[in-house]
């Protein structure tokens, strides 16, 4: 999230590569995902500093590249959940980064876009896992955004229990469109108009799951997927949201 006139930049997760078994003949990739895509993009739009980096949970595909990012772009503050600090490997990375840490609390707000990004959940399990994802929400220019990390169906139930009147216009779909997320009752209740699915092309997990896609279609929600469209960028132009895709 890059505010007008580059006043503030918030980044939710950095991406990264899951450590999967490799055959002896397979060469490890030399460049991280952040070096190939995230860092060049941020530099291209004039981001020289990230004010708040929210690391939603400890999975490598969400936070694995944050040290690479910190080497190239200044980060003022990292937001984590209490549960993430139970992961010793993750804590060692935080220490190595030597960046100010904010342990997120429900109700925390970061001012941006003449409004604020608010923490709705700082985790439900205390383990730094999927259902411990930091969940954030913002009403920006009359459009309500919900960012769920890898929140699964149990976490979605807890979220609705705490926010029974939660309504959403743009949903970052939980857990890459996995069938473990996007419970039909949850989707029906929050009633988004647009669903964004962050997912790798031809990924080995088969994300997004067909059941999840059917749930979204049944509720007449427009779906945009990064495996089909590439990078998705929402821009506020002349009091309207425009969507730009880049492959």
């Amino acid at each position: 999230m890059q505010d007008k006139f580059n006043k503030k930049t918030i980044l939710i997760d950095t991406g990264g590569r899951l450590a999967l078994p490799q055959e002896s003949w397979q060469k490890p990739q030399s460049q991280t995902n952040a070096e190939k895509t995230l860092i060049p993009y941020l530099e291209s739009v004039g981001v020289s500093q990230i004010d708040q980096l929210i690391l939603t949970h400890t999975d490598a595909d969400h936070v694995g590249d944050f040290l690479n990012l910190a080497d190239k772009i200044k980060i003022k503050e990292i937001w984590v959940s209490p549960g993430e600090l139970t992961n010793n490997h993750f804590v060692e990375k935080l220490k190595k980064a030597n960046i100010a840490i904010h342990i997120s609390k429900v109700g925390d707000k970061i001012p941006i876009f003449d409004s604020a990004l608010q923490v709705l959940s700082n985790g439900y399990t205390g383990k730094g896992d999927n259902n411990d994802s930091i969940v954030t929400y913002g009403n920006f220019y009359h459009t309500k955004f919900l960012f769920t990390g890898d929140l699964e169906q149990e976490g979605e139930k807890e979220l609705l229990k705490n926010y029974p009147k939660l309504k959403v216009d743009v949903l970052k779909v939980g857990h890459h469109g996995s069938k473990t997320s996007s419970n039909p009752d949850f989707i029906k209740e929050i009633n988004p108009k647009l669903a964004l699915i962050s997912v790798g092309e031809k990924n080995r997990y088969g994300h997004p799951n067909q059941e999840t896609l059917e749930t979204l279609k049944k509720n007449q929600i427009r779906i945009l997927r990064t495996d089909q469209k590439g990078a998705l960028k929402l821009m506020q132009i002349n009091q309207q949201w425009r969507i730009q895709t880049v492959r």
Side-chain angles (χ1 to χ4, degrees):
M1 299 177 203
Q2 185 181 17
D3 210 345
K4 54 190 175 184
F5 310 120
N6 213 8
K7 290 188 298 184
K8 179 184 279 286
T9 300
I10 302 170
L11 179 64
I12 301 175
D13 290 337
T14 64
R17 195 173 292 122
L18 290 171
L20 298 171
Q22 288 186 311
E23 300 293 337
S24 58
W25 51 267
Q26 290 179 300
K27 291 183 179 179
Q29 293 181 330
S30 57
Q31 268 192 320
T32 65
N33 291 336
E35 290 168 327
K36 287 193 295 184
T37 57
L38 176 60
I39 294 168
Y41 170 74
L42 292 174
E43 291 176 340
S44 74
V45 294
V47 173
S48 58
Q49 173 177 286
I50 294 168
D51 295 277
Q52 280 82 27
L53 169 62
I54 300 172
L55 299 178
T56 59
H57 63 298
T58 59
D59 282 1
D61 59 326
H62 287 254
V63 305
D65 286 351
F66 92 83
L67 285 178
N68 299 102
L69 178 66
D71 282 342
K72 299 294 184 181
I73 294 180
K74 181 180 177 182
I75 301 170
K76 287 183 66 176
E77 189 176 49
I78 296 175
W79 283 40
V80 298
S81 70
E84 288 176 272
L85 300 181
T86 65
N87 183 312
N88 292 333
H89 180 66
F90 179 72
V91 170
E92 286 303 312
K93 284 192 168 186
L94 290 176
K95 289 178 180 176
K96 188 174 181 181
N98 194 28
I99 296 169
I101 302 297
H102 174 82
I103 302 174
S104 62
K105 302 181 294 297
V106 173
D108 280 351
K109 294 181 179 180
I110 305 173
I112 193 166
F113 300 137
D114 298 327
S115 182
L117 183 70
Q118 179 177 347
V119 175
L120 297 189
S121 172
N122 65 343
Y124 294 118
T125 68
K127 299 176 182 177
D129 56 13
N130 288 349
N131 278 322
D132 215 44
S133 293
I134 297 174
V135 177
T136 50
Y137 179 85
N139 190 344
F140 306 131
Y141 304 116
H142 310 293
T143 302
K144 304 175 184 70
F145 292 79
L146 181 67
F147 304 94
T148 60
D150 268 356
L151 197 69
E152 297 183 347
Q153 294 193 26
E154 287 303 313
E156 292 170 350
K157 290 177 185 177
E158 291 297 321
L159 191 65
L160 277 185
K161 190 184 299 182
N162 294 327
Y163 303 94
K165 296 183 180 180
L166 182 65
K167 297 299 178 187
V168 175
D169 297 307
V170 180
L171 170 67
K172 199 292 291 180
V173 174
H175 202 192
H176 317 285
S178 165
K179 66 180 180 181
T180 63
S181 302
S182 301
N183 180 279
D185 292 337
F186 174 74
I187 296 298
K188 183 178 179 181
E189 186 60 38
I190 65 173
N191 192 31
K193 299 178 180 68
L194 174 63
L196 308 178
I197 302 179
S198 176
V199 61
E201 188 175 11
K202 297 179 182 177
N203 65 89
R204 66 174 61 200
Y205 301 102
H207 298 335
N209 183 268
Q210 191 59 38
E211 290 179 28
T212 298
L213 295 176
E214 290 301 325
T215 295
L216 298 172
K217 290 174 183 176
K218 184 178 178 181
N219 287 276
Q220 299 180 317
I221 300 165
R222 183 185 180 190
I223 302 168
L224 289 177
R225 299 163 43 173
T226 58
D227 61 331
Q228 295 178 340
K229 299 292 187 180
L232 305 171
K233 182 176 182 179
L234 276 70
M235 301 173 291
Q236 176 73 193
I237 300 174
N238 296 329
Q239 298 183 336
Q240 288 187 330
W241 285 102
R242 307 282 177 86
I243 300 171
Q244 184 180 75
T245 62
V246 182
R247 290 194 68 87

